[in-house]
């Protein structure tokens, strides 16, 4: 454990950067180098905790992660969202599934992992809520429109196998979808819409779009709760602890976004 030097770890990180697989959204392998440094730090952190190495002899502590570049993602205008929905619902081998995916992500601003983890038992039909389980083991009830809730129920009834703990989103033959469905979806959208391929649009752009709209119309606290961000993370500072939005405010934002009333939304809310 104490044989590698800090410079050797740094050299390995840059080697990973140079040898990273080139994908359509590549950024020069910086993420590969960052992950390598993070993995080495994790290993040495456990070694410290187990008393296998002293803190002063930990070479990983002296290796800085590559600076993360600003994200190129941004909110998409309504006209572009309409184009995505139109192509998704009119092309491909399962347009109903793809249209449902886009609406689920637009309404909830969930990540891919959150959508794939939804089970039939995670639907609270009466209150139009979906239980989302996402990264860092976060769990939250997210409001959805009555239209989306009805579509999710019909999808589960038509394609499910009566296993309420199984995956909700499935193909026509009942097989659960995976992340590969998203890859195929955006590849197809890119073929029909050149701007999708040129700007490397992905599902996460929908999250940016929804949260930007919510922040502009309902403020930072509601957008933070809508996103499911943990209190204390990010640059919100201590103030974020005291200005948390409640579920009713998130539901009110969703009702304004979709144009449909929500059972948990309160009265008319003054926009900022």
């Amino acid at each position: 454990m104490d044989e590698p030097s800090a410079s050797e770890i740094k050299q390995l990180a840059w080697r990973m950067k140079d040898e990273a697989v080139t994908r359509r959204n590549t950024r020069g392998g910086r993420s590969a180098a960052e992950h390598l440094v993070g993995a080495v730090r994790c290993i040495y952190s456990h070694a410290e905790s187990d008393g296998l190495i002293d803190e002063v002899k930990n070479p990983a502590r002296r290796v800085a992660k590559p600076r993360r570049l600003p994200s190129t993602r941004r909110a998409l205008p309504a006209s572009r969202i309409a184009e995505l929905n139109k192509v998704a619902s009119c092309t491909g081998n399962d347009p109903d599934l793809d249209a449902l995916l886009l609406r689920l992500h637009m309404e909830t601003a969930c990540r891919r992992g959150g959508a794939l983890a939804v089970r039939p038992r995670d639907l609270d039909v009466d209150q139009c809520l979906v239980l989302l389980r996402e990264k860092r083991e976060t769990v939250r009830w997210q409001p959805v429109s009555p239209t989306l809730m009805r579509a999710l129920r019909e999808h589960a009834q038509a394609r499910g196998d009566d296993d309420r703990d199984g995956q909700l989103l499935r193909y026509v033959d009942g097989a659960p979808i995976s992340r590969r469905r998203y890859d195929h979806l955006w590849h197809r959208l890119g073929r029909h819409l050149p701007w999708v391929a040129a700007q490397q649009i992905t599902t996460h752009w929908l999250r940016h779009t929804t949260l930007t709209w919510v922040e502009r119309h309902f403020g930072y606290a509601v957008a933070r709760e809508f996103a499911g961000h943990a209190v204390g993370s990010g640059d919100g500072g201590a103030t974020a602890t005291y200005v948390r939005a409640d579920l009713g405010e998130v539901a009110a934002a969703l009702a304004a976004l979709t144009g449909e009333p929500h059972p948990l939304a309160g009265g008319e809310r003054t926009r900022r």
Side-chain angles (χ1 to χ4, degrees), residues 134-190:
E134 297 191 302
K135 68 178 186 179
R136 299 191 181 94
E137 299 182 344
T138 60
V139 179
R140 74 181 187 279
W141 285 103
Q142 189 75 15
V144 297
S145 68
T147 297
L148 178 56
M149 178 57 70
R150 184 165 53 252
L152 290 171
R153 285 192 66 196
E154 292 174 353
H155 180 91
Q157 292 169 356
R159 304 188 180 192
D161 55 1
D162 296 326
D163 180 9
R164 289 181 52 78
D165 290 315
Q167 185 174 321
L168 186 147
L169 297 171
R170 295 173 180 265
Y171 293 106
V172 175
D173 62 2
I177 71 169
S178 68
R179 293 176 181 268
R180 293 295 297 166
R181 184 65 195 184
Y182 289 93
D183 296 336
H184 292 307
L185 170 60
W186 290 106
H187 181 70
R188 186 175 82 249
L189 292 175

Side-chain angles (χ1 to χ4, degrees), residues 59-74:
R61 287 182 174 270
R62 300 188 294 276
V63 180
K65 285 187 178 182
R67 181 176 60 85
R68 184 171 296 185
L69 299 175
S71 174
T72 59
R73 301 187 187 105
R74 66 182 184 283

Side-chain angles (χ1 to χ4, degrees), residues 12-21 27-39 66:
L12 180 59
W14 287 110
R15 176 182 167 187
M16 294 298 101
K17 178 178 181 295
D18 294 336
E19 297 179 357
V21 176
R27 306 193 76 181
R30 299 179 68 94
S31 181
E34 179 183 349
H35 290 164
L36 184 281
V37 174

Side-chain angles (χ1 to χ4, degrees), residues 104-115:
L104 176 60
H105 285 279
M106 281 299 302
E107 285 199 18
T108 66
C110 67
R111 302 173 179 86
R112 288 190 309 178

Side-chain angles (χ1 to χ4, degrees), residues 168-247:
L168 186 147
L169 297 171
R170 295 173 180 265
Y171 293 106
V172 175
D173 62 2
I177 71 169
S178 68
R179 293 176 181 268
R180 293 295 297 166
R181 184 65 195 184
Y182 289 93
D183 296 336
H184 292 307
L185 170 60
W186 290 106
H187 181 70
R188 186 175 82 249
L189 292 175
R191 292 202 312 269
H192 291 273
L193 302 171
W195 60 270
V196 171
Q199 297 183 48
Q200 302 171 5
I201 307 298
T202 63
T203 306
H204 211 70
W205 286 63
L206 303 181
R207 178 173 168 86
H208 277 253
T209 301
T210 299
L211 295 179
T212 297
W213 188 93
V214 172
E215 190 278 330
R216 297 294 190 271
H217 293 84
F218 289 84
Y220 176 79
V222 177
R224 186 187 187 95
E225 198 70 23
F226 205 110
H229 288 151
V231 174
S233 64
D235 58 356
T239 306
T241 305
Y242 303 97
V243 295
R244 293 189 62 181
D246 59 32
L247 192 58

